[in-house]
Amino acid sequence: MKISLNSLYFPNSNPDFISAAKSVHNHFGLNVNYHEHTVRHGVWMDHVINTSNADVVGFLDIDCIPLTKNAVMDMIKFVAKNKSIAGCAQATNHIPPMSHIFVAPCCFFIWRPLWEAIGRPSFTETNRSDVCQEVCYIAEANGVRMKALYPSFFEREPEEGVWRLHNYGLYGVGTTFQNQFYHLYQS
């Protein structure tokens, strides 16, 4: 089984974040492809999956850090075993219905043959979807069961107010997801 792990950062990203992420990935023995671009997140994800020949394609934001090696390995195992999608939970708070929970782009793993089987949907935003949300909508419509890690806690409220995860609870800047991933949203 071929695995491709990918991390996006922008030219103006804090170099300490890049260095810290690389250090954690190296410590856990994770082979991550780092991409410096100025394109929108979904456009980059489209490019990565379209050019990949891996069975499992994983995306980790540069500010989304696995807390253990098993966090990443568990995502890969789930996706491979279930021919599915796994990662951190998110709900888009600025696009109605604001209640759809999906796997977030900060930590998104997908069985690439599944993506092909459901029509190679784009990861970009639509009038009803945020980044990655459309892929999840289409997977759900095809009966695909996904795994989404829910927030355990977060450090602080974003300037615009906390984000609701539908009826589950809240998340914000510095969210830890089930003690497996830490995401410093808006870094």
Side-chain angles (χ1 to χ4, degrees):
M1 174 174 64
K2 292 175 115 178
I3 301 162
S4 173
L5 301 176
N6 302 277
S7 188
L8 172 67
Y9 63 92
F10 301 102
N12 64 346
S13 295
N14 184 328
D16 292 338
F17 289 152
I18 299 164
S19 176
K22 287 180 177 181
S23 179
V24 170
H25 298 154
N26 288 337
H27 174 74
F28 292 144
L30 302 172
N31 182 20
V32 178
N33 303 304
Y34 300 95
H35 304 257
E36 180 182 347
H37 293 289
T38 55
V39 299
R40 291 187 349 262
H41 206 158
V43 171
W44 167 73
M45 293 175 83
D46 283 347
H47 172 75
V48 169
I49 201 161
N50 273 302
T51 59
S52 178
N53 63 358
D55 301 301
V56 175
V57 178
F59 299 95
L60 289 170
D61 281 0
I62 202 71
D63 61 354
C64 185
I65 304 298
L67 300 178
T68 68
K69 181 177 185 171
N70 282 343
V72 172
M73 300 315 294
D74 289 349
M75 294 289 109
I76 293 167
K77 288 176 189 171
F78 177 88
V79 165
K81 179 181 177 186
N82 296 286
K83 313 300 187 244
S84 187
I85 295 169
C88 295
Q90 181 172 311
T92 301
N93 283 236
H94 65 283
I95 302 172
M98 298 182 282
S99 58
H100 178 247
I101 297 173
F102 64 98
V103 177
C106 68
C107 175
F108 189 99
F109 292 77
I110 189 167
W111 181 251
R112 191 176 183 285
L114 165 70
W115 174 75
E116 291 177 349
I118 62 173
R120 302 170 62 98
S122 175
F123 286 84
T124 59
E125 309 91 329
T126 71
N127 62 341
R128 73 171 186 161
S129 305
D130 205 346
V131 177
C132 291
Q133 191 172 9
E134 192 66 25
V135 174
C136 293
Y137 271 135
I138 293 169
E140 289 168 1
N142 282 276
V144 176
R145 294 183 63 204
M146 293 172 267
K147 177 179 184 176
L149 302 177
Y150 284 79
S152 309
F153 58 90
F154 63 94
E155 295 172 354
R156 68 179 174 83
E157 188 174 313
E159 287 181 20
E160 68 273 15
V162 293
W163 302 309
R164 299 202 174 283
L165 194 57
H166 187 45
N167 64 352
Y168 176 81
L170 308 170
Y171 63 109
V173 176
T175 299
T176 298
F177 291 89
Q178 291 180 228
N179 298 318
Q180 295 183 50
F181 292 91
Y182 171 85
H183 186 207
L184 185 60
Y185 283 98
Q186 299 182 332
S187 69

